[in-house]
Amino acid sequence: MKIDIRHIAKLSKLSIPEDQIERFEKEMQSIIQLVENLPEIEGKATAVDTENTMELRADEVVASASREDMLMNAPQVAAGCIVMPKVVE
Amino acid sequence: MNNKYEIVVGLEVHAELSTKTKIFCGCKNEFGAEVNTNVCPVCMGLPGTLPVLNEKVVEYGIRMGHALNCTINRATKHDRKNYFYADLPKAYQTTQDDVPLCANGYLDILVGDETRRIGITRLHIEEDTAKLIHADEFGGTLIDFNRCGVPLIEIVSEPDMRSAEEAKVYLETLRTILLYLGISDAKMQEGSIRADVNVSVRPVGAKEYGVRVETKNVSSFSGVYNAIVYEANRQIEVLENGGELFQETRRWDDAAGKNVLMRSKEDAQDYRYFPEPDLLGYVIPEELVEKLKAELPELPVQKTLRYMNECGLSRADAETIALSKDKAFFFDACMATGKCGPKLLSNWVLGEITRVANERRCEISELPLTVENLVDMIALIENKTISNAAAKTVFEIIVDKDEKPADIVKAKGLAQISDTSALQTIVDSVIAANEKAINDYKGGRTNVLGFLVGQCMKQSKGQGNPAMFKEMMIAAIENS
Amino acid sequence: MDKLYSLSAKSMKELLDKKEVSSVEITKSVIERIEKTDKDVCAYNSYNFENALKNAAAIDEKRAKGETLGALAGIPLAVKDNIHVKGLKTTCSSRMLENFVAPFNATVTEKLNASDAIIVGKTTMDEFAMGSSGESSKLAVAKNPWDTSRIPGGSSSGSAVTVAASQVPFAMGTDTGGSIRMPAAYTGIVGLKPTYGTVSRYGIIPLASSFDQAGPMARNVDDLAMLFNAVCGRDKMDAVTKNYTFEGYGDSVKGMKIGVPKEYYGEGVQPAVKERVYAAIETLKCQGAEIIEISLPSTEYALAAYYIIQCAEAASNLGRYDGLRYGFRGSNTSNVEDLYLTTRSEGFGDEVKRRIMLGTCVLSSGYSDAYYKRAKLLQQNIAKEFTDAFKTCDVIITPSIALTAWKFGEKSGNPAEVYAADICTITLNIAGLPGMSVPCGFDSTNNMPVGFQVIGKKFRESDVLTVAKCYENAVGGFAVKEF
C-alpha cells in the first residue's frame, strides 16, 4: 500500500517538513509491511461482546471540580474561561 | 418555488436530554450556570480521564426510540468520532456508530389534511461539545465547558419530507414528543434542540434522488423552514442555469437569511470512527425495554386525531391543544372527570385559561386553578345554571382560589333567571324604553335584536337567560 | 542502620512494624540513595522529596499514636510519569506535557495514598509510553544499572531502573505491549502486567486504552504481590474494571501444567535467551510441574494486529494535545489551525508522530476495513487461541523478550525491527491476560539479564505469582546489581 504522508499528516494535524516526508514514508512503509502479511481471514469481529459488559452509572450529581484546578494548566485565562486564538469559521 | 421540481428533505435533529448529570461524569447538567463551574477532569477531557455512562441517558434514549416506533438494540456500544475543533476537548466525540441505541422507526405527522409517515433511520446517544464565546476584548475566543458532556440524542430521519412545511411540522412534532416524555427541555432558543438539514431537489416524477446538500447550524422552527426554502431555491436556480450541484456542507446564517459554503466534498471530514476503547458494550435488560414501552404516554399526533374523531374538535383546536403538553394534559384531566363535554372545555382551555397563563408567563399546571373547579363551572354553563358572562366572574375567582363554583354562584347570586314572568317584565320595560329600535326592527333592521337582548341582560345584571330573552323579545315585538 | 534503601519492602515493613526504624529514616535513606546514584542511571523526571518526608513524618506519627495504618505504611516507592499525582507534574517524558501539573489523582495514586505509601518521585519513560527501550524520552533517558551504556528497556524505563538500582524497593509501571515486562527483563527484576480490568486506568495518561494496564515492578515476588494487592480492584471511575480480589499465591508448582508454545521460541529469539528460559522451565519441572508443548499459531500475526489497534487508539488519544487548553503551545498562535500544526509538530517527538500517522492511516476512510477491522478480528482469534490453550495447561511460559539489552542508539532508524522485539509480550495485551517477567540469569554473550514470562488465565494472577515464587525459591532469590 502506498502511504500518502501529506494527506495523513493533514488528517493528523501534523506538519511534516518536505525533507522528512521520504524518511517518514519509508519508516511507515516498513511497519505497514507487517500488516500486509495479515492472512485473508473470513468473518467480522463481533460488534458487541455480550460476555464482557460494563455497569452503567446512576444519574447522581457528584460535586464538580474547582474552576481554579481545572484551569491551572491553561496558557491564558480570562473571565473564568480559557482563552484561545480567535476561531475563524 | 419552481413547480417542475420536487424537494426532498431529511433532518438530523440533536436534542439535549434533561438528566440530572452529564452523560459521562457526575457534573450537573444545567443551562445558564456561571462559566466553567459544572466541570470536572472528565468533561474537560483532561488526559487520563475516562467516561462512565449515565444509565438515565440510555433510558431516555429508549423512551424516545419507543415513541418513534424504533427497534431497540439491546446490546449496544459506543464509538469515537475523531475530528479537530476548538469546542471538542478530546478531539473526538464519544457517540454511536454502527450499533445505534434505536433504529428503523417512523413518525406520523399531520400536514394539512394528510397524515404523513416519516421514516426514522436511527437514534443514538452522544455528548455535547463546549461552548465557544467570541470575545474580541480578550483578543480571542473563550471556552466554557459547562455544556461539554451534556447528553444528546441524535435523531436521523429518512429523506421522506417533501416540503419545508413538512420539515417544520416534523420538528415541531418531535419537540412536543420530547416534552411529553419529559426527557428534554426542548428549548430552541437555548440551543437544546438543533437541526442539520439535508436538502435535494429532483424533477417531479423522477425516481433518483438529486445531489444532497447539508445545511448545518439551524436552531429555530422558522430557521428550518427558511433554510430549506433557501437551499431548494438555490439548487433549482443552479440546475435551471445549467449548472452542477455538489455534495457539500453549508452553514445557515439565520440573521442574513441565507447559507454559505462551509466544506466542499473534497474537504469532507474523515471521522475515523472506531469502538470507544474506554467503555465496554452493554446489554439492556428486556424487562427495562418493555417497561419503558408500557410507560409511553399517548403522543401528540394520536391525541390530535382523538380530539378530532372522538371529541369533535376542529382540526385547528385539536392540534393546538395536542401540540402543547401543558394544554393537552390539563384538557385530558378535565375530560377524565366525565363531568363536562369537550367543546366548551376546549374553548375555555384555548381562551381564558391560556390568556391568564400567558399573562402570568406560566404553565396551566402552575395556575392555582383546579380541574374539579373548572369542570364544575363548565357543567354549570352547560346545564344553563349560569351564563357565559356569569361564568367569567366565577372563573376570575377559581383561577386563584380553590372555591366551589356552585358556592360562588350562590353567594354572588349569579344563577341565570329562567322564570318567564320575571324575564317578561324586563322585556316589556326594554321595549317601552327603546321605541326607535323597535321601529327599526319592524322596518327590517333585525340586527338591532342583539342590542335589545343586551339591554335585557344589562337590566337582569347578567343573570337572565339570553336565549330566552331573545325568543321572548321577538315574540313581543311581533305581537305588538 | 545503613543501606536501609536496599531492603525489600517486606523487610522495611517488618522493621517499621517492630518500630525499629521510622519511615522518615527509611525515606531519608532512599532520598540520599537517589541523590547519589540518579545522575548515573537517570530514573526520574521529577522528585517529590519534600512531600515524601512530610508524609513519612505524618505516618510515623500515626504509628506512634497507634492508629490503623495502610498495608504499605511508610514504605517509599516511585510511580511512572504518566500516572497523575495531584500537584506534581505528569510529563509522559514529552515536551508536550513538560509543564503539565496534575489537577487530580489517579485512582492508583489514591490507593497508594490510602495504603500510606510514600511517593518519592515520578520515573521517566518512553515518550507517551511509545517505545521498548526508553530512548524515546524527551526528558530523562534512563540507563541500565547493569551496564549504563545499554538501554534499560521501556516504556517503564525509569520504574525498572529505580528498582534495579535499589533506589526504592518497588515502583508502579504501565504496560500496553510489554512496557512493564520488557524493562523488568532487561534490568533483572520482576514486573507484572495484570489482567485487563484489574487495576484502574483512571488518571493514567493512556497509550492504547484497550491494552493499557498499570502494574507493579519489584526485586522479588513478595514485594511485587504487596504492591499489586494495594492497587488492584474495581473502580467506579473506570468502566472496564471488574470486581477483583487478589487471592494470594503459593510456592509450589507440584502438579501444575505449564504450556510451552513453540511459536515463542523461533529463530527471532537469541540462543542465549532461549537457553536461559529452557533452563528455567527445567527448574520448574524439577519442582514438580508438568511441561506440555502447545501451539499458538496466530502469534505470527499478532504484531501487525497489535500495532494497528495500538496506533489507532493512540492517534485518537493524542488528538487532544492541540495547544489550546493545556500543555505545550506551538510558536504560531495567530489562528487555531496554525496553532494545532505548530503545537503538535513541535511538541511531539518523531516516534509519537509516526504512530499518530500510522493510527490515522489505518482508520481512515478506505483503509479501515483492510486494516483496523481485520486487526480486531485477529484480536478475537488470538484471544480464542489462548482460551483453548488454557484448557490443557494452567500457565504458559515464554521468553519475556527475544533479546537482551542493547547499546543506546544501536537500533535507531529501524522502527520495524524494534517493534518486532515486542512479539513475546504483546499477545497478552491483545488477549487481556496477566503476565509476569521473572529474571532467569544472564546472557552469556554480554552478561545482561534475561527474563522469562509467565502467562496466566484471566484474573489468575495467583497462578502466575505461584510459579514465580516457586522459581525464586528454587534459585535462591534473584541477583541484585551492586550499584
Side-chain angles (χ1 to χ4, degrees):
Chain A
M1 185 186 81
K2 176 85 182 131
I3 299 164
D4 182 352
I5 292 285
R6 285 181 190 84
H7 173 69
I8 296 296
K10 191 178 161 199
L11 271 178
S12 311
K13 294 271 187 273
L14 290 169
S15 66
I16 303 296
E18 281 301 314
D19 60 342
Q20 288 180 31
I21 298 253
E22 201 184 328
R23 178 170 65 88
F24 269 106
E25 204 165 83
K26 213 177 119 226
E27 286 171 353
M28 279 182 60
Q29 204 72 57
S30 72
I31 300 158
I32 287 287
Q33 213 78 66
L34 295 169
V35 179
E36 307 270 277
N37 300 333
L38 288 186
E40 283 302 329
I41 42 175
E42 290 296 309
K44 223 177 128 193
T46 320
V48 183
D49 180 0
T50 53
E51 300 293 305
N52 183 25
T53 57
M54 64 176 178
E55 279 175 37
L56 307 193
R57 175 177 70 81
D59 186 23
E60 284 162 10
V61 176
V62 176
S64 286
S66 88
R67 182 159 77 187
E68 199 182 316
D69 278 358
M70 289 301 95
L71 301 183
M72 73 183 193
N73 285 290
Q76 195 189 344
V77 172
C81 292
I82 292 174
V83 187
M84 59 174 199
K86 196 170 176 174
V87 177
V88 191
E89 286 175 341
Chain B
M1 189 78 51
N2 188 320
N3 57 15
K4 273 160 58 186
Y5 292 92
E6 180 180 50
I7 306 176
V8 175
V9 183
L11 250 53
E12 291 168 24
V13 177
H14 290 89
E16 287 180 350
L17 299 177
S18 53
T19 49
K20 279 193 232 127
T21 64
K22 294 184 178 183
I23 182 168
F24 295 125
C25 66
C27 284
K28 258 190 231 160
N29 169 17
E30 64 178 341
F31 181 82
E34 196 193 328
V35 292
N36 291 313
T37 50
N38 292 337
V39 294
C40 74
V42 176
C43 55
M44 299 259 315
L46 292 183
T49 55
L50 301 169
V52 184
L53 181 60
N54 182 345
E55 63 183 9
K56 216 63 179 178
V57 174
V58 177
E59 197 183 304
Y60 283 11
I62 297 172
R63 280 181 202 274
M64 192 64 185
H66 281 319
L68 299 176
N69 307 289
C70 289
T71 307
I72 312 297
N73 285 319
R74 284 181 44 234
T76 186
K77 67 168 179 111
H78 292 260
D79 301 274
R80 289 187 185 177
K81 177 183 182 180
N82 297 284
Y83 64 98
F84 289 88
Y85 198 70
D87 66 5
L88 193 67
K90 294 181 294 185
Y92 57 82
Q93 181 190 36
T94 301
T95 176
Q96 296 189 288
D97 179 29
D98 52 335
V99 191
L101 184 59
C102 315
N104 299 325
Y106 62 87
L107 175 63
D108 287 334
I109 59 172
L110 297 174
V111 186
D113 290 330
E114 226 188 319
T115 303
R116 298 267 296 118
R117 179 159 289 188
I118 309 301
I120 303 294
T121 316
R122 55 183 284 150
L123 177 156
H124 66 256
I125 52 182
E126 61 186 24
E127 57 187 337
D128 208 345
T129 57
K131 205 168 144 194
L132 301 184
I133 306 162
H134 299 285
D136 287 332
E137 63 269 38
F138 298 111
T141 298
L142 305 180
I143 320 178
D144 173 14
F145 293 93
N146 283 347
R147 195 183 69 182
C148 207
V150 163
L152 293 176
I153 45 174
E154 178 172 343
I155 302 160
V156 182
S157 84
E158 291 288 305
D160 285 350
M161 287 160 269
R162 293 291 174 265
S163 69
E165 178 62 24
E166 278 185 24
K168 187 167 164 259
V169 172
Y170 168 80
L171 188 60
E172 279 171 349
T173 311
L174 276 188
R175 177 176 178 273
T176 313
I177 294 174
L178 290 168
L179 290 171
Y180 267 43
L181 300 179
I183 61 172
S184 173
D185 295 335
K187 289 180 182 157
M188 289 204 90
Q189 69 276 17
E190 287 178 9
S192 53
I193 307 188
R194 307 186 285 272
D196 298 335
V197 180
N198 291 304
V199 176
S200 64
V201 298
R202 59 181 172 188
V204 170
K207 285 257 180 334
E208 298 290 310
Y209 289 125
V211 174
R212 185 182 67 125
V213 173
E214 183 177 11
T215 306
K216 284 194 175 286
N217 192 34
V218 191
S219 57
S220 69
F221 292 115
S222 60
V224 167
Y225 185 90
N226 295 335
I228 293 168
V229 171
Y230 180 90
E231 177 56 24
N233 283 335
R234 189 191 70 82
Q235 292 183 15
I236 290 167
E237 201 179 307
V238 169
L239 294 177
E240 286 292 292
N241 291 328
E244 193 187 344
L245 291 168
F246 301 99
Q247 195 178 329
E248 58 194 19
T249 306
R250 305 182 71 89
R251 182 195 309 280
W252 178 245
D253 181 341
D254 208 30
K258 60 178 200 166
N259 66 31
V260 288
L261 182 66
M262 193 173 145
R263 273 199 296 272
S264 65
K265 195 187 178 189
E266 291 71 53
D267 295 332
Q269 296 271 30
D270 186 345
Y271 290 122
R272 289 162 281 132
Y273 284 100
F274 74 103
E276 169 58 89
D278 286 330
L279 296 171
L280 301 175
Y282 50 102
V283 177
I284 303 151
E286 184 147 22
E287 309 83 74
L288 178 64
V289 173
E290 289 310 313
K291 175 178 162 272
L292 294 172
K293 191 168 194 172
E295 284 171 6
L296 204 64
E298 184 189 30
L299 294 171
V301 171
Q302 284 70 43
K303 269 200 206 298
T304 303
L305 294 172
R306 178 166 63 82
Y307 293 160
M308 289 165 68
N309 300 336
E310 291 176 26
C311 301
L313 300 190
S314 69
R315 161 75 197 279
D317 285 356
E319 200 158 53
T320 311
I321 295 174
L323 283 181
S324 153
K325 179 189 178 187
D326 186 38
K327 291 185 179 74
F329 278 43
F330 189 79
F331 182 85
D332 286 345
C334 292
M335 287 300 290
T337 64
K339 288 185 180 169
C340 69
K343 278 204 168 152
L344 199 50
L345 175 64
S346 82
N347 290 345
W348 277 89
V349 168
L350 293 173
E352 282 300 289
I353 299 174
T354 296
R355 180 185 62 77
V356 174
N358 287 347
E359 271 171 19
R360 301 185 189 180
R361 296 207 168 86
C362 71
E363 300 274 278
I364 295 172
S365 59
E366 291 165 330
L367 292 172
L369 177 67
T370 69
V371 166
E372 287 67 32
N373 290 341
L374 185 78
V375 296
D376 286 349
M377 183 195 86
I378 290 172
L380 291 175
I381 306 171
E382 283 173 344
N383 68 20
K384 297 192 167 52
T385 306
I386 55 172
S387 65
N388 271 322
K392 281 198 175 133
T393 310
V394 175
F395 179 75
E396 293 305 326
I397 295 166
I398 61 171
V399 77
D400 282 316
K401 284 194 204 122
D402 186 10
E403 287 183 24
K404 292 225 170 308
D407 296 345
I408 299 169
V409 168
K410 208 180 219 173
K412 297 213 166 228
L414 293 171
Q416 212 158 226
I417 304 164
S418 301
D419 168 20
T420 323
S421 65
L423 296 181
Q424 193 61 52
T425 316
I426 292 170
V427 169
D428 290 345
S429 86
V430 169
I431 288 174
N434 292 285
E435 201 176 327
K436 186 177 174 294
I438 305 296
N439 290 332
D440 284 352
Y441 182 87
K442 284 179 174 166
R445 288 185 56 203
T446 51
N447 57 350
V448 298
L449 187 60
F451 165 75
L452 292 168
V453 172
Q455 290 299 304
C456 295
M457 287 302 289
K458 201 172 165 189
Q459 270 205 30
S460 74
K461 297 194 180 79
Q463 285 170 266
N465 182 328
M468 288 178 72
F469 272 137
K470 191 178 164 190
E471 215 171 275
M472 291 165 77
M473 182 61 78
I474 293 168
I477 297 171
E478 281 172 1
N479 293 339
S480 69
Chain C
M1 207 178 298
D2 64 324
K3 287 194 171 186
L4 279 174
Y5 63 83
S6 67
L7 296 175
S8 69
K10 196 179 168 191
S11 307
M12 286 180 184
K13 188 175 163 61
E14 280 162 10
L15 292 176
L16 285 163
D17 286 347
K18 284 189 271 178
K19 297 190 185 171
E20 284 177 22
V21 294
S22 68
S23 176
V24 168
E25 284 171 293
I26 291 177
T27 306
K28 273 187 176 157
S29 167
V30 160
I31 291 171
E32 274 167 28
R33 170 73 175 171
I34 294 171
E35 280 173 338
K36 194 173 147 223
T37 56
D38 206 40
K39 60 183 187 304
D40 298 321
V41 292
C42 306
Y44 288 84
N45 280 335
S46 62
Y47 304 121
N48 187 37
F49 295 158
E50 210 175 306
N51 288 328
L53 284 170
K54 217 161 59 191
N55 294 342
I59 285 160
D60 284 340
E61 202 180 310
K62 268 170 89 174
R63 194 185 297 273
K65 284 184 188 159
E67 288 176 30
T68 316
L69 292 169
L72 305 180
I75 304 173
L77 57 75
V79 298
K80 189 175 176 178
D81 207 7
N82 57 352
I83 300 174
H84 289 317
V85 177
K86 190 175 177 179
L88 303 187
K89 284 181 188 172
T90 309
T91 69
C92 285
S93 288
S94 177
R95 195 176 173 202
M96 192 60 93
L97 289 174
E98 198 170 351
N99 295 307
F100 183 84
V101 178
F104 64 102
N105 274 332
T107 299
V108 160
T109 307
E110 291 283 342
K111 289 193 171 224
L112 291 174
N113 288 344
S115 311
D116 295 320
I118 309 292
I119 296 172
V120 297
K122 305 290 294 289
T123 55
T124 192
M125 54 190 279
D126 279 294
E127 184 180 9
F128 281 105
M130 290 179 180
S132 52
S133 68
E135 290 169 293
S136 77
S137 168
K138 295 290 172 278
L139 301 174
V141 177
K143 295 172 177 59
N144 197 317
W146 295 89
D147 176 352
T148 53
S149 71
R150 290 177 186 268
I151 57 108
S155 67
S156 308
S157 50
S159 289
V161 168
T162 190
V163 173
S166 297
Q167 292 177 329
V168 289
F170 45 33
M172 285 300 295
T174 64
D175 189 316
T176 307
S179 284
I180 287 175
R181 292 157 289 157
M182 286 192 280
Y186 284 133
T187 60
I189 61 170
V190 284
L192 171 71
K193 183 210 85 85
T195 309
Y196 188 73
T198 50
V199 178
S200 170
R201 299 169 303 134
Y202 186 75
I204 301 177
I205 297 184
L207 167 53
S209 314
S210 67
F211 297 153
D212 293 347
Q213 196 63 189
M217 305 172 85
R219 289 190 298 273
N220 63 68
V221 177
D222 291 342
D223 285 5
L224 179 127
M226 206 163 137
L227 182 53
F228 175 58
N229 198 34
V231 296
C232 67
R234 160 102 179 125
D235 176 18
K236 61 181 186 351
M237 300 298 282
D238 181 353
V240 311
T241 55
K242 305 287 182 198
N243 286 315
Y244 174 85
T245 319
F246 176 49
E247 289 166 356
Y249 55 103
D251 59 6
S252 165
V253 294
K254 227 167 236 126
M256 212 179 219
K257 290 186 180 126
I258 295 177
V260 178
K262 57 176 186 287
E263 291 81 3
Y264 287 75
Y265 297 81
E267 277 174 24
V269 184
Q270 286 182 2
V273 170
K274 254 187 261 188
E275 182 196 308
R276 294 308 316 155
V277 177
Y278 281 135
I281 292 167
E282 195 54 37
T283 304
L284 289 164
K285 193 177 169 186
C286 292
Q287 298 298 311
E290 187 187 335
I291 310 299
I292 299 166
E293 201 173 300
I294 60 167
S295 174
L296 295 165
S298 288
T299 304
E300 65 170 303
Y301 311 121
L303 195 65
Y306 171 75
Y307 273 96
I308 291 170
I309 298 169
Q310 188 244 64
C311 291
E313 292 183 8
S316 176
N317 286 334
L318 292 166
R320 72 191 69 200
Y321 304 104
D322 56 17
L324 295 183
R325 297 165 302 277
Y326 48 78
F328 177 77
R329 190 171 255 202
S331 52
N332 190 339
T333 60
S334 55
N335 66 63
V336 171
E337 196 60 26
D338 285 347
L339 181 59
Y340 283 156
L341 285 173
T342 54
T343 296
R344 293 168 64 77
S345 303
E346 295 163 17
F348 288 135
D350 279 356
E351 181 61 35
V352 178
K353 287 181 198 169
R354 193 153 45 224
R355 295 203 200 185
I356 289 175
M357 289 198 286
L358 192 62
T360 304
C361 179
V362 299
L363 285 176
S364 65
S365 148
Y367 295 105
S368 179
D369 285 342
Y371 291 88
Y372 181 77
K373 287 179 185 160
R374 199 144 55 119
K376 289 298 276 187
L377 182 53
L378 275 169
Q379 178 181 19
Q380 285 182 7
N381 291 355
I382 291 165
K384 188 172 176 302
E385 261 179 34
F386 272 108
T387 308
D388 292 344
F390 277 124
K391 286 172 186 159
T392 62
C393 59
D394 302 303
V395 295
I396 294 170
I397 288 183
T398 72
S400 295
I401 186 143
L403 63 175
T404 49
W406 66 81
K407 299 225 172 200
F408 281 103
E410 204 178 304
K411 293 190 192 299
S412 59
N414 192 345
E417 191 194 332
V418 176
Y419 291 1
D422 304 356
I423 187 66
C424 300
T425 47
I426 55 173
T427 46
L428 279 66
N429 300 79
I430 291 176
L433 302 169
M436 178 169 171
S437 181
V438 182
C440 58
F442 296 84
D443 180 338
S444 53
T445 65
N446 58 15
N447 293 320
M448 295 307 287
V450 177
F452 70 89
Q453 173 175 250
V454 190
I455 307 168
K457 297 173 186 170
K458 270 192 187 173
F459 304 108
R460 293 299 303 164
E461 278 74 9
S462 295
D463 294 342
V464 172
L465 267 75
T466 300
V467 173
K469 182 67 189 173
C470 174
Y471 180 77
E472 185 182 27
N473 288 347
V475 297
F478 304 127
V480 174
K481 172 70 181 171
E482 291 298 327
F483 194 84

